[in-house]
Amino acid sequence: MGYVPGRFDRDGAEDMDRIAKTIFAPIYPVIAQQIIERCGISRGRCLDIGSGPGSLGIALAQASALAVTLLDSSPEMIAIAGGNVREAGLSGRVALLSGDVHDIPLPDRSVDLAVSRGSLFFWEDLPRAFSEIHRVLAPGGTAYVGGGFGTAELRDTIAATMERANPDWRSFRDRNLGADNRERVAGILENLGFRHRLVSDDSGFWVVMEKEG
């Protein structure tokens, strides 16, 4: 499954929601717990960028005291995410926001935790996107963005299922999570001068960017 933010019609959005609730469903609680443990943030305001149907943001809200905002540029995805939030009983703690990572419609220093799974690989201007994320992070805040499946077992199980439907799926995944892309992202972050570290392990490829207090 490749998520191209803002490029969904209703059928495409519904298809992504279906996959997130079936094949990909086990990964979101695992990744949410990894984010909480690795970032050390379990309360405050969380922004899920390119949130799609809201699966990761909802999992984070369920696993913590975070107030979560789901940011997506697709009206179809926002509508589906709203239904998922209501179904999870989280309308009081999970909000919806239409917008794009390149121009996040939030004030400076307003987010304690920014997360994104899968949309990084489709951002058209990575320096601008990372700069926007850094801008909205509060002092002491952390961003955790990238892609992955939480564990090697989940990765391999999902890969086998997805490849049966699309033989090119593994090459798409490997291109996004591979060394060339990791080096490209690392170079951009070095040039920006933002405090960061890269995680590349069985959980996936993740950028952990911290804003000094």
Side-chain angles (χ1 to χ4, degrees):
M1 181 175 67
Y3 173 39
V4 186
R7 299 178 188 175
F8 277 106
D9 58 16
R10 183 71 189 183
D11 289 343
E14 289 177 350
D15 188 52
M16 183 180 177
D17 185 46
R18 176 186 60 79
I19 294 173
K21 289 176 176 175
T22 54
I23 301 169
F24 279 60
I27 73 173
Y28 299 109
V30 174
I31 294 172
Q33 194 60 45
Q34 290 170 343
I35 292 171
I36 292 166
E37 291 174 358
R38 290 174 173 180
C39 298
I41 298 173
S42 59
R43 59 183 63 248
R45 186 172 189 182
C46 172
L47 178 68
D48 182 4
I49 299 164
S51 54
S55 307
L56 180 57
I58 289 170
L60 279 163
Q62 290 170 331
S64 72
L66 288 161
V68 178
T69 298
L70 306 178
L71 175 73
D72 205 284
S73 57
S74 163
E76 291 78 12
M77 291 283 24
I78 287 286
I80 287 174
N84 291 337
V85 169
R86 290 190 294 274
E87 185 178 320
L90 289 167
S91 297
R93 219 156 37 89
V94 179
L96 306 172
L97 181 63
S98 179
D100 184 83
V101 68
H102 301 92
D103 188 17
I104 298 173
L106 289 175
D108 296 357
R109 303 182 176 190
S110 60
V111 172
D112 300 292
L113 177 66
V115 303
S116 182
R117 182 204 171 273
S119 72
L120 163 68
F121 311 110
F122 303 100
W123 296 347
E124 294 179 355
D125 186 338
L126 284 176
R128 180 173 175 179
F130 280 119
S131 295
E132 272 293 277
I133 295 170
H134 193 268
R135 176 184 68 79
V136 301
L137 281 178
T142 301
Y144 189 99
V145 302
F149 302 89
T151 68
E153 180 181 4
L154 286 170
R155 178 195 65 210
D156 295 344
T157 299
I158 289 170
T161 302
M162 295 299 291
E163 280 186 286
R164 285 195 289 271
N166 178 7
D168 296 328
W169 186 85
R170 187 183 293 267
S171 63
F172 167 81
R173 181 204 68 184
D174 291 347
R175 182 171 65 252
N176 286 340
L177 303 182
D180 289 347
N181 206 33
R182 294 198 302 268
E183 290 173 8
R184 180 173 71 93
V185 171
I188 289 168
L189 288 164
E190 289 291 340
N191 289 337
L192 289 170
F194 297 151
R195 181 177 176 183
H196 71 280
R197 58 188 171 90
L198 302 183
V199 175
S200 182
D201 58 16
D202 285 343
S203 70
F205 166 51
W206 307 94
V207 174
V208 183
M209 184 171 66
E210 299 170 337
K211 190 166 187 177
E212 295 182 5

